[in-house]
Amino acid sequence: MSHLYDPAYAVANLVTGQRLLVICCLFYLAWWAVAFRPGRRHGQSLPAIVILLAGAIVTGATGLCMSFVSVLDAPGERIVPGSTILALGIGLFLVLLAVTVLALGRRFTCELFLIVGWTALEYAAVDVLRSAGRMTHTGAVTMDVALALAFVVSVVMYALYYRLRGRRGYVAGMVPLVSEGVSMLLLLAVTA
């Protein structure tokens, strides 16, 4: 089977993609802080909002593409095949969609898709890095736990968001960005 590029390049591309996703989290967090600040008047800070959102979109799309292509094309044996991670992600998304909409009465927003998609991508990234010898077993276990915690925190904040008012809702909207950004920083730290 031929690959788009050699293993070292695939891993380097993946690491760069992860760095860009961390920067995306920072832009997105700053955008949220400005755009949803309690008491902000409509139209206030519009240039900053547009610039921060554009930064999040550009770094997020680029980081996602680099990470996704690297996960798909990186050669080597995997503990869990990418197709299995994708299938589990789709199944988990559908279950969480039903639970949050039907059982909890929360209207669907794209954040649920982003949370589940990000989690699946990160587990696949950990598997690629471990398979390429760029992450130790201890590092991979650390990441598995960190990603699970970030996922749970993000889903809880997603479920609670519309039940919280004012400053509490504002802060709850930031928590997933922080937990996911910290998780990706940890991934970069444990990558050899």
Side-chain angles (χ1 to χ4, degrees), residues 44-187:
Q44 185 181 21
S45 307
L46 190 58
I49 290 169
V50 170
I51 290 167
L52 292 169
L53 188 56
I57 291 168
V58 169
T59 56
T62 306
L64 176 64
C65 288
M66 291 180 80
S67 295
F68 191 70
V69 167
S70 297
V71 162
L72 288 178
D73 198 55
E77 292 297 317
R78 309 276 170 69
I79 292 174
V80 181
S83 58
T84 302
I85 293 172
L86 178 62
L88 289 170
I90 291 169
L92 183 59
F93 171 75
L94 294 174
V95 168
L96 288 173
L97 180 63
V99 168
T100 56
V101 171
L102 301 175
L104 300 178
R106 201 247 197 236
R107 71 179 171 131
F108 170 72
T109 57
C110 70
E111 284 81 7
L112 182 62
F113 176 77
L114 294 173
I115 291 165
V116 175
W118 170 82
T119 304
L121 177 65
E122 294 308 300
Y123 274 112
V126 168
D127 197 33
V128 166
L129 292 167
R130 186 218 42 87
S131 297
R134 296 285 306 270
M135 186 178 290
T136 65
H137 174 73
T138 302
V141 170
T142 300
M143 284 311 306
D144 288 344
V145 172
L147 293 172
L149 289 172
F151 173 77
V152 169
V153 165
S154 296
V155 170
V156 168
M157 293 297 111
Y158 173 82
L160 290 177
Y161 177 71
Y162 286 110
R163 296 176 186 205
L164 301 172
R165 300 280 180 231
R167 186 155 296 281
R168 287 183 179 166
Y170 176 66
V171 171
M174 293 181 184
V175 171
L177 295 168
V178 172
S179 68
E180 292 165 5
V182 167
S183 296
M184 288 184 288
L185 284 172
L186 180 60
L187 181 139

